[in-house]
Amino acid sequence: MRLLRNLGLASLKCLRVRVVALVAGLLVSTTGGHCGELAAGLPSRDGIVRAAAENAERTWRGVNRQPPTVGSRELFSAALAWCEAKTHLDRLEKLFDLAAQMQDRDPQSRTYGNFRWNWHHEGVWDLNAVDFCMQMGALLWIHHQQTIPPAAREKLREILELAIHGLIGHRVPETYTNIALMNAGNLILLGEAMDKPDAASEGYARLDRFLLAMWESGTHEYCSPTYYGVDLDDLVLIEAFARQERGRQQARVLLEYFWRDIALNWFPPAQKLGGARSRDYDYLRGLGFLDQQMMANGWLPTDAKNRVTHIVNAFTRWRPPARLKEMSETRFPRLVQQIWGFEPAESRTHYLCRDVTLSVAGANYRTMDIPLSADLPGPREGVRCYFIPDGRHDPYGKIRIQEGKAHAKTLHLTPFWAAAQRRVDALGVALYRDKDVPPETQTLESHFVMPLDVDSFWIGGRRVDTPKDKPWEFPLNHGEALVLRKGTAAVGVRVPWAQDDAPVSFVFDGNKFGAVRLTVAHQVGSRAGAAFWVRIGSELRNDAAFEKWQRQFAAARSNVEAAGERVRISVSGADGAVTVGADAAKSAAFGLEPMPPRALLAVDGEDIGRRLLQDLEPIRSWRATIAGQTQIAVPKGKSVYWEAEAGRVVPPMTRDKDAKAVGGAFVWMPAKPGEKAGSSVGHVAWQLKMAAPGKYYVWGRVQAPTPSNDSFYVRLFSDEEEILGRTDWPTGVRKDWEWIPLAIGGGRAPTALDLPSGLVNFQLRVREAGTKMDRLFITPRADERPR
């Protein structure tokens, strides 16, 4: 009976099914199941609830301070934990009173229904607050509306109804992975629980759009040790509580996808995610909120210090299949490749061996990413190897600075970054543009951080003394190899190029974190840049093997061509050349070798991500609609019209009807006039078949109702080159359908585009929702206007 209480009433049916299956000897599942695993070592539901309820006491202390020191999401988390524990229900009314005071209740406000993140905030500064609050708010209503005391229940009902407005008004870009999933899930669960079918329908539509965006451009918040935990929370709740089977199936497939991603990038000798990643709150160690899911599902052990305290884990039905954990521990070496955006360089490569891993991202994502890394065996709290661009002398990510009004985070600089990897060799180039370096910057450094606790360090083939009880510094020549050895693994780093011969040194600054760094010290106020070449060695079982590997790395050649803001570097990798070209003026990469594949999620060349998603709705239907699309032929010397809606339309860009449009149809991202909204994934694309190279001019027949709805982005590229990187196409306000030229830079005359012969991909992407495109026109004559 105690086991039944631990599982909760919602799991009784699931338990009966599992018992029958066990008796019949049929439990040989190869996919994730709806039922929680009952294997020894997994935290019990009762244990998770008790831990969450204990944590909620801290929230209660904050509630009772004057003024309160509490966040809005904490109020709902505490309420849910106490409801699940069937204790302190008398406290709920005070929690909901405080939540109501933190909610924007002005119907004319842009943030109507949303919440202040913290009590001391003067307004709604973080629009994500409503999403984090309602993840718990929806569960309170689904599970406990009948047991919550009447006065508290009425206050909660009013809060939730207003919060639906906040959720709908929070139009989250599909690339904001964790919040896009959370927002869709909250609308689904809260809309269904409160009999608001329009809200639920909008949630399902947003989930559909997320899936189509993911199919086109991968997971933008890739391999994040913090946000992958939030993603899993979002999905387990949709899977458990959505009323429509289609939504539950979407969640199950996405759970399988994310857990495969985690398994492929999990490095068992360090018991954590390895490789390059976006949005890392812990540069040094790479740990984060994902740990809660890993402990809850038996991938990490629990003890008195490390417990599952996050209440969402008490509601999990779907579990990752055991084969994924087994694969992560046995399949070595493995090469993982995945995209995280539309641009060719927006991809990630991770090569994992039994004793070391190496990884790069081809481009920068945001101000908290790690685009170049290596991982070594050791304790979970051990220091990783990683690149960081630094303008605050903060190589270890310990100084928090303000990001907007709501939060302080350990942000780093975001220079232009381009990188490539061929298995055991990775090459990354960082170029600091004027906009990348704040005016108050006093120091400008590029670091490759490493653990001090290794077997030995070597510079130029000579072992160096690296005491742990006092600071030290060793200068290096450009291109000279620094190598660390740990067990059977080695990590080598070279700086084949630094702008203006900036000095390079190997430093231990006496920090308490157990970290050392290879640092390029740039001169503030001048052009700056550096290249880092990293090679890993695996299974080096004796001194002879290590010394041979080290000699080969030191002797490997590099070639540098640098002029102005443009640099091209090629190195002789162990398995072939690795080349990176970077142009700071254009913020563009060129000549990457090897060019990463446009794989959704691939292991050793097999795109398992596309195989998983291809038959899932709405992806399956959308694939069918684009299968019959034809190329647009542009004969030599001829002008050509084509319909915008004839292209490959990626939501939230969509086709719509208008009798005044040519052919009665057009494309746009729907929005009300004056509404400010956009999308980083919505676009329409056409493939032009150019019979001859030359200069061409493009026009579009557009309608743009207000200054907030009067622009697109445009991009042209071929398989060989980027012809026109993502560029603004301002249309100006056009109340009626009107032809306007593609004029770059604000001019009125159409811009000449140098197009090659062959296939040219033309993308029209959302910049401002509400801007409409009816038809396009291309001509080789600058003076020709469309009719």
Side-chain angles (χ1 to χ4, degrees):
M1 291 302 294
R2 182 177 180 181
L3 175 61
L4 298 184
R5 288 195 300 271
N6 288 351
L7 289 171
L9 293 176
S11 298
L12 291 178
K13 181 179 179 181
C14 193
L15 176 63
R16 289 197 295 270
V17 172
R18 185 169 291 279
V19 170
V20 171
L22 283 167
V23 171
L26 299 176
L27 208 103
V28 287
S29 173
T30 59
T31 61
H34 287 221
C35 307
E37 295 290 346
L38 304 180
L42 288 187
S44 70
R45 191 179 194 281
D46 271 358
I48 295 171
V49 170
R50 280 197 305 271
E54 291 170 12
N55 268 10
E57 292 299 323
R58 183 169 59 249
T59 300
W60 186 244
R61 290 192 294 272
V63 165
N64 288 290
R65 291 192 178 100
Q66 291 301 325
T69 56
V70 69
S72 52
R73 67 182 294 198
E74 297 168 41
L75 299 173
F76 294 94
S77 296
L80 182 60
W82 287 328
C83 283
E84 286 295 311
K86 298 179 176 62
T87 185
H88 297 317
L89 299 188
D90 58 315
R91 297 178 175 179
L92 299 184
E93 188 172 357
K94 187 167 185 177
L95 294 181
F96 298 151
D97 277 336
L98 213 58
Q101 293 176 62
M102 297 176 74
Q103 189 173 31
D104 184 346
R105 300 202 161 195
D106 178 3
Q108 304 305 314
S109 171
R110 185 175 66 90
T111 57
Y112 178 51
N114 212 312
F115 297 85
R116 306 201 310 267
W117 187 268
N118 282 314
W119 176 265
H120 66 268
H121 289 171
E122 297 174 3
V124 178
W125 293 343
D126 186 335
L127 297 179
N128 300 334
V130 68
D131 297 289
F132 280 103
C133 291
M134 287 305 99
Q135 193 172 62
M136 308 303 167
L139 293 176
L140 279 166
W141 201 253
I142 291 169
H143 271 262
H144 300 290
Q145 60 172 300
Q146 299 306 320
T147 57
I148 293 174
R153 181 170 64 247
E154 179 57 26
K155 291 179 179 181
L156 176 61
R157 182 197 60 76
E158 184 180 9
I159 289 169
L160 299 184
E161 288 188 346
L162 291 176
I164 289 176
H165 292 281
L167 291 168
I168 292 173
H170 189 201
R171 300 186 65 165
V172 186
E174 297 82 5
T175 53
Y176 200 175
T177 309
N178 77 104
I179 304 300
L181 284 171
M182 189 185 299
N183 181 268
N186 286 340
L187 282 168
I188 290 169
L189 301 192
L190 202 55
E192 291 177 337
M194 301 196 72
D195 297 321
K196 306 288 186 182
D198 289 347
S201 295
E202 178 62 20
Y204 284 114
R206 291 185 184 189
L207 184 57
D208 279 356
R209 290 199 295 268
F210 174 85
L211 278 161
L212 289 172
M214 188 173 178
W215 175 260
E216 283 290 292
S217 57
T219 305
H220 288 245
E221 293 178 334
Y222 60 93
C223 210
S224 170
T226 294
Y227 290 106
Y228 268 20
V230 181
D231 297 331
L232 295 177
D233 283 357
D234 302 337
L235 293 168
V236 298
L237 294 181
I238 297 172
E239 195 281 328
F241 298 113
R243 294 179 185 174
Q244 292 186 20
E245 171 57 24
R246 171 174 162 138
R248 294 194 299 273
Q249 176 63 15
Q250 289 170 331
R252 286 193 287 271
V253 172
L254 284 172
L255 280 164
E256 174 92 7
Y257 183 99
F258 276 101
W259 273 105
R260 286 196 188 196
D261 190 341
I262 291 165
L264 289 172
N265 290 294
W266 190 254
F267 186 47
Q271 286 294 282
K272 55 189 174 186
L273 279 181
R277 72 273 307 269
S278 73
R279 308 201 70 187
D280 192 340
Y281 284 74
D282 180 8
Y283 304 151
L284 273 172
R285 297 173 175 86
L287 306 180
F289 179 67
L290 177 61
D291 285 358
Q292 287 286 302
Q293 282 281 348
M294 304 312 282
M295 289 187 290
N297 286 282
W299 285 54
L300 288 175
T302 57
D303 54 34
K305 179 182 176 183
N306 300 295
R307 299 187 300 163
V308 181
T309 60
H310 186 49
I311 190 64
V312 166
N313 288 295
F315 298 92
T316 300
R317 298 195 317 166
W318 193 98
R319 300 284 183 183
R323 59 185 167 81
L324 291 183
K325 188 171 188 293
E326 180 183 1
M327 181 278 296
S328 76
E329 296 170 339
T330 59
R331 184 167 178 170
F332 294 108
R334 60 181 182 266
L335 179 67
V336 182
Q337 295 170 301
Q338 54 200 119
I339 57 173
W340 53 266
F342 280 106
E343 306 301 332
E346 290 177 344
S347 62
R348 172 185 181 274
T349 301
H350 189 196
Y351 186 65
L352 298 93
C353 303
R354 291 185 181 276
D355 49 1
V356 65
T357 87
L358 178 65
S359 181
V360 296
N364 260 333
Y365 176 71
R366 289 183 65 180
T367 52
M368 297 173 67
D369 54 348
I370 298 294
L372 169 62
S373 72
D375 288 279
L376 292 160
R380 298 192 71 241
E381 294 76 16
V383 174
R384 305 182 72 221
C385 302
Y386 62 90
F387 167 78
I388 180 171
D390 180 16
R392 296 177 291 130
H393 198 60
D394 181 30
Y396 317 119
K398 296 302 177 181
I399 302 174
R400 292 179 178 270
I401 60 176
Q402 203 67 26
E403 184 185 49
K405 291 183 178 180
H407 305 292
K409 299 178 180 179
T410 55
L411 310 178
H412 59 62
L413 300 180
T414 53
F416 179 73
W417 170 265
Q421 179 176 348
R422 192 185 298 276
R423 291 165 59 88
V424 299
D425 285 278
L427 177 65
V429 176
L431 301 178
Y432 296 83
R433 302 153 296 186
D434 289 343
K435 66 178 182 179
D436 302 325
V437 184
E440 66 274 13
T441 300
Q442 300 296 312
T443 63
L444 182 60
E445 299 165 317
S446 297
H447 308 287
F448 190 76
V449 176
M450 295 163 282
L452 175 60
D453 186 19
V454 298
D455 297 336
S456 57
F457 287 100
W458 305 69
I459 297 176
R462 300 180 304 277
R463 183 167 181 164
V464 294
D465 181 29
T466 54
K468 301 179 181 180
D469 57 350
K470 61 181 180 181
W472 42 258
E473 182 171 348
F474 298 96
L476 274 77
N477 298 317
H478 286 176
E480 192 170 27
L482 167 65
V483 172
L484 70 79
R485 184 181 185 186
K486 183 171 185 178
T488 60
V491 177
V493 191
R494 292 170 59 179
V495 179
W497 170 80
Q499 185 86 46
D500 297 331
D501 295 325
V504 182
S505 55
F506 179 40
V507 181
F508 174 57
D509 53 22
N511 67 82
K512 63 182 180 181
F513 313 116
V516 296
R517 52 187 167 85
L518 182 67
T519 295
V520 179
H522 306 287
Q523 184 176 343
V524 178
S526 62
R527 281 201 303 265
F532 286 79
W533 174 10
V534 181
R535 177 180 292 182
I536 58 171
S538 175
E539 306 290 344
L540 306 175
R541 299 193 176 277
N542 52 50
D543 290 346
F546 170 74
E547 289 167 4
K548 179 181 179 181
W549 177 91
Q550 184 176 208
R551 285 195 304 272
Q552 290 174 341
F553 181 52
R557 295 182 177 181
S558 63
N559 181 65
V560 178
E561 301 170 9
E565 297 183 83
R566 185 180 172 95
V567 62
R568 178 185 180 277
I569 301 173
S570 185
V571 300
S572 299
D575 300 314
V578 182
T579 303
V580 174
D583 189 325
K586 296 181 178 179
S587 297
F590 63 91
L592 297 181
E593 182 184 0
M595 192 70 176
R598 295 296 294 170
L600 204 57
L601 176 62
V603 57
D604 297 327
E606 179 188 4
D607 194 340
I608 60 174
R610 295 212 180 273
R611 193 178 68 221
L612 254 180
L613 297 183
Q614 64 185 2
D615 291 325
L616 182 67
E617 291 295 347
I619 293 169
R620 182 175 183 173
S621 295
W622 183 75
R623 288 173 59 225
T625 66
I626 65 171
Q629 289 180 355
T630 59
Q631 297 166 350
I632 298 166
V634 182
K636 182 178 180 180
K638 301 291 185 180
S639 302
V640 174
Y641 292 90
W642 75 93
E643 297 301 316
E645 65 273 15
R648 178 181 184 179
V649 182
V650 178
M653 186 82 89
T654 187
R655 298 176 178 88
D656 214 332
K657 296 179 179 180
D658 183 346
K660 293 183 178 180
V662 177
F666 64 94
V667 296
W668 70 324
M669 176 179 168
K672 298 175 183 177
E675 180 181 1
K676 293 183 178 181
S679 169
S680 51
V681 296
H683 71 275
V684 56
W686 311 273
Q687 203 167 54
L688 309 181
K689 188 175 183 180
M690 309 300 299
K695 292 187 183 299
Y696 291 84
Y697 307 85
V698 171
W699 294 69
R701 190 170 188 257
V702 306
Q703 194 176 98
T706 79
S708 297
N709 319 100
D710 68 342
S711 67
F712 295 103
Y713 289 122
V714 63
R715 177 182 171 222
L716 288 91
F717 61 97
S718 68
D719 289 342
E720 289 75 32
E721 63 176 324
E722 189 82 0
I723 300 166
L724 179 67
R726 192 185 76 170
T727 303
D728 293 358
W729 185 356
T731 66
V733 174
R734 314 286 169 175
K735 297 294 185 180
D736 297 311
W737 291 110
E738 185 176 341
W739 283 104
I740 59 106
L742 171 56
I744 297 171
R748 295 185 177 182
T751 298
L753 302 172
D754 287 311
L755 303 185
S757 59
L759 296 180
V760 172
N761 297 291
F762 188 142
Q763 285 184 353
L764 187 75
R765 294 167 63 166
V766 173
R767 185 174 185 272
E768 293 176 310
T771 318
K772 303 176 181 179
M773 179 65 74
D774 171 27
R775 207 178 196 206
L776 292 102
F777 174 73
I778 187 170
T779 176
R781 292 178 287 278
D783 59 351
E784 184 177 12
R785 294 176 60 90
R787 301 184 302 277

